[in-house]
Structure formats: structure tokens, C-alpha cells
């Protein structure tokens, strides 16, 4: 399926080589510096390139710790996401902490399976701050884990892993469009069906549209600036002809969504997960729909990019029946 993500930069310069000097190994109290063994285990990538990290706190107080971290200068008052893939080496779950902005952060549970753990925070300074992992004697005296794929990126949620080896790496924003498909779209009636999930409930408009290349003529499905709210809209000559919405339980989980439109009838409807959720009476229909895009439909600006996952995307040139829509979205 399609994974559409924004542009992001992994600020960690060695995302897999934790033996590099950019990763500092320190300790306090009765603790010992962590021991790093590279190429120790098979990573989620399927290669033997995950590292073993052995933390030894040596005591039972919060002042006894073992810490692995790297140092960065961030933009003040910006949102960031820090993440690692982590797995326990002992056959049972183990606990440790993120180390974020020179402070002990959220707790982490390393299980016997690979999991990606992440934490979000707002930077509080432009000075250098440290980020990594810390084991404390007050939580668990000895921690033996494998880690892989460290990431620190500016943004309110983590995106897919960006490998680095000696420098920061930027992944460009994903852009998906298809133009010149007017013969496949019926502006007078039709159905746009999606099986989608948002990357994050970030309270922004993220749109997938059929249009004529402008914002004036279009049919679109969107996540809105209201938590978990999905909306569908039909516009003609810049005027809203139909507007329907439904609140999902979790917009980051996959949902099957369809908008049906038909000129001059009250058959315009929003279907979600097998049920008709909202209806509207459609006035005028859009003209010249010939572009499918993961944006607001305007080929010049391409705003309101859809960042999310798309398992299915189907366009029908007739308005399906209610039984057909129920089956399609179930």
C-alpha cells in the first residue's frame, strides 16, 4: 500500500553503529559504563546489524545509572520525536528510560520481540542537549538489550526509519498524483472509496482529492482539524455543494471510507466501515474532474498533503447502491 510521509531529517549521524564516538557511554554512582557489542543480533531489517547494549547500574538507587546518549543542538520550542527499535536479550521483559534533553524521560519496556519505542517532546533551548537511553538502579539494576535504528527528527510523530552512517540524512516528502484521467471519472455521479489510516491525530487538514487541477472543482475526503474527525466535501465553482463528516474512534487505525455523489438527488452520502454515517442533498456537481492526488486538488499549490497509509483506493463512475456500499466498506 501507499505510505505517504512528510519530509524529515534523522539528526542522529550513526543510527546503527553505537560503537561510534558520537554515542557517549557514561555512568554514575555504583553504575558502570554501558558495553556495546556491534553486529550482535538480526535487526528488523533482516540483517545481523543490531547492537547489544549491556547496562550495569551496580546499585538500587536512582543515583546508580548506566547511560548511552548522543548530543544535539535543536530549534527552541519545536516538537521532536525520538525513537529506537529495541528487544530484550534475556528471555523476559526489561525496563529502562529514554534520556531526553538531559533528563530522564518516559519509561520503555523491552520485550522478547522487536518493538519500535518513541517519545515526543518540545525542545526548551537551542543549546546542546543529550538524547539516548538510561538504566537506573531504582528501576532495574542490570539491563541487556539489542537496539537498532535510532532516530531523532523534528516533528510531532515519528516517520519510517531513515538510516544514517556518518551524517544526517533527509528523506524528501512523498508526493502522489495522477493527471489526465478524466475518462475514468464521472463528475455527475460516482464513488470515491479509500481504506486509509492517518500517521498521527495532529489536528491538521490532510486531503485526498479528485479535481480539475484547481480548488474550485473537486470531490475529496479529508482528516480535519478536529480530533479523529473525517470529512467528505463536494465543491463546484468554489462553492460547497455537499459537506458530511463522521468521528472515528481512532484515525490512526485503518478505516474504509466512501463518498457517493449524484447530481440533483439526496443520494450523496458518507459511508464508513459498513454503515451510512451522514447524508446531504447535492446541488451542482463539479466540472472536468481529471486529477487524482494526495493533496487538496490544486496542482499549483498542492497544499494539505495527505500524510498517511492507503491500502485501497478505488474510483467508480456510477453511484453504487446502498448494499454495494455496505459490502465495499465492510
Amino acid at each position: 500500500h501507499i505510505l505517504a510521509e512528510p519530509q524529515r531529517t534523522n539528526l542522529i549521524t550513526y543510527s546503527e553503529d553505537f560503537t561510534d564516538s558520537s554515542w557517549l557511554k557514561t555512568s554514575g554512582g555504583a553504575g558502570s559504563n554501558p558495553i556495546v557489542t556491534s553486529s550482535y543480533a538480526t535487526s528488523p531489517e533482516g540483517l545481523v546489524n543490531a547492537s547489544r547494549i549491556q547496562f550495569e547500574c551496580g546499585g538500587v538507587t536512582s543515583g546508580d545509572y548506566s547511560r548511552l546518549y548522543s548530543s544535539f543542538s535543536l530549534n527552541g520550542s519545536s516538537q521532536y520525536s525520538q525513537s529506537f527499535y529495541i528487544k530484550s536479550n534475556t528471555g523476559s521483559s526489561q525496563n529502562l528510560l529514554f534520556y531526553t534533553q538531559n533528563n530522564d524521560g518516559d519509561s520503555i519496556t523491552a520485550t522478547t520481540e522487536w518493538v519500535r519505542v518513541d517519545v515526543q517532546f518540545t525542545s526548551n533551548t537551542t543549546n546542546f542537549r543529550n538524547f539516548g537511553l538510561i538504566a537506573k538502579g531504582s528501576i532495574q539494576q542490570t539491563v541487556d538489550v539489542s537496539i537498532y535504528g535510532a532516530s531523532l527528527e523534528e516533528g510531532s510523530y515519528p516517520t519510517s526509519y531513515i538510516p544514517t552512517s556518518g551524517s544526517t540524512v533527509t528523506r524528501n516528502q512523498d508526493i502522489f498524483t495522477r493527471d489526465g484521467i478524466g475518462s475514468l471519472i464521472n463528475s455527475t455521479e460516482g464513488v470515491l472509496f479509500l481504506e486509509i489510516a492517518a500517521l498521527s491525530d495532529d489536528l491538521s487538514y490532510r486531503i485526498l482529492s479528485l479535481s480539475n487541477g484547481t480548488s474550485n472543482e473537486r470531490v475529496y475526503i479529508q482528516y480535519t482539524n478536529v480530533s479523529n474527525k473525517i470529512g467528505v466535501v463536494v465543491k463546484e465553482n468554489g462553492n460547497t455543494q455537499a459537506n458530511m463528516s463522521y468521528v472515528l474512534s481512532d484515525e490512526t487505525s485503518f478505516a474504509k471510507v466512501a463518498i457517493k455523489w449524484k447530481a440533483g438527488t439526496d443520494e450523496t452520502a458518507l459511508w464508513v466501515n459498513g454503515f451510512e454515517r451522514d447524508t446531504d442533498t447535492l446541488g451542482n456537481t463539479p466540472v472536468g474532474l481529471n486529477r487524482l492526488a494526495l493533496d487538496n486538488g490544486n496542482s499549483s499549490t498542492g497544499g494539505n498533503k495527505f500524510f498517511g497509509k492507503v491500502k485501497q483506493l478505488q474510483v467508480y463512475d456510477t453511484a453504487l447502491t446502498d448494499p454495494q456500499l455496505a459490502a465495499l466498506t465492510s
Side-chain angles (χ1 to χ4, degrees):
H1 61 260
I2 294 171
L3 173 62
E5 297 185 298
Q7 177 174 304
R8 289 290 180 86
T9 299
N10 189 353
L11 300 175
I12 292 174
T13 55
Y14 286 90
S15 64
E16 298 172 16
D17 183 8
F18 299 97
T19 64
D20 185 77
S21 60
S22 62
W23 286 101
L24 305 177
K25 296 86 177 173
T26 63
S27 55
S32 302
N33 293 352
I35 300 172
V36 179
T37 306
S38 60
S39 303
Y40 175 79
T42 302
S43 74
E45 186 183 359
L47 302 176
V48 183
N49 58 352
S51 295
R52 181 187 191 185
I53 314 294
Q54 295 169 278
F55 298 93
E56 178 54 64
C57 298
V60 296
T61 71
S62 60
D64 303 316
Y65 65 85
S66 183
R67 183 172 61 201
L68 172 77
Y69 66 94
S70 195
S71 185
F72 304 89
S73 180
L74 306 182
N75 295 323
S77 301
S78 295
Q79 291 184 300
Y80 286 84
S81 295
Q82 178 187 358
S83 62
F84 292 86
Y85 287 92
I86 194 165
K87 178 182 179 182
S88 172
N89 293 329
T90 66
S92 58
S93 296
Q94 301 175 82
N95 298 316
L96 64 163
L97 301 171
F98 278 108
Y99 187 62
T100 302
Q101 299 197 99
N102 296 352
N103 293 301
D104 301 338
D106 291 359
S107 62
I108 298 168
T109 298
T111 69
T112 56
E113 301 294 332
W114 281 109
V115 294
R116 192 185 192 191
V117 295
D118 62 89
V119 65
Q120 288 71 51
F121 60 91
T122 299
S123 58
N124 54 25
T125 180
T126 56
N127 296 328
F128 277 96
R129 287 293 182 265
N130 300 315
F131 301 87
L133 300 170
I134 184 171
K136 306 198 77 172
S138 55
I139 297 173
Q140 200 163 42
Q141 288 73 56
T142 300
V143 176
D144 185 351
V145 294
S146 291
I147 64 173
Y148 165 83
S151 180
L152 178 65
E153 51 191 307
E154 186 172 354
S156 61
Y157 56 89
T159 60
S160 57
Y161 170 53
I162 305 170
T164 65
S165 180
S167 65
T168 63
V169 173
T170 298
R171 181 192 55 242
N172 291 331
Q173 176 179 281
D174 294 315
I175 299 174
F176 297 90
T177 62
R178 186 177 176 187
D179 297 293
I181 57 172
S183 62
L184 305 177
I185 306 171
N186 183 350
S187 295
T188 303
E189 65 175 275
V191 170
L192 173 59
F193 164 72
L194 304 169
E195 185 175 2
I196 52 175
L199 297 181
S200 174
D201 184 7
D202 67 1
L203 307 181
S204 68
Y205 286 98
R206 290 140 291 160
I207 298 176
L208 196 152
S209 64
L210 300 173
S211 75
N212 71 340
T214 75
S215 300
N216 293 328
E217 312 288 338
R218 52 183 174 149
V219 175
Y220 59 93
I221 295 174
Q222 64 180 353
Y223 293 111
T224 74
N225 63 347
V226 177
S227 180
N228 295 316
K229 186 176 181 180
I230 197 160
V232 293
V233 179
V234 179
K235 283 185 176 288
E236 181 271 336
N237 196 28
N239 299 312
T240 299
Q241 302 295 326
N243 189 350
M244 298 163 286
S245 63
Y246 176 71
V247 177
L248 303 165
S249 58
D250 179 5
E251 68 181 57
T252 63
S253 297
F254 275 101
K256 294 182 179 180
V257 182
I259 176 175
K260 175 182 73 169
W261 70 95
K262 190 170 184 179
T265 72
D266 58 359
E267 295 184 27
T268 302
L270 165 64
W271 284 74
V272 180
N273 294 336
F275 295 93
E276 185 179 77
R277 307 294 188 175
D278 199 1
T279 61
D280 202 351
T281 299
L282 181 63
N284 298 328
T285 55
V287 177
L289 301 181
N290 62 5
R291 180 179 186 265
L292 170 67
L294 273 64
D295 61 30
N296 63 8
N298 190 319
S299 59
S300 298
T301 61
N304 304 113
K305 291 284 192 294
F306 177 91
F307 295 128
K309 304 171 186 177
V310 183
K311 274 189 179 180
Q312 297 188 73
L313 190 160
Q314 300 173 30
V315 179
Y316 296 83
D317 60 6
T318 58
L320 302 180
T321 65
D322 287 356
Q324 289 173 326
L325 286 163
L328 181 64
T329 59
S330 295

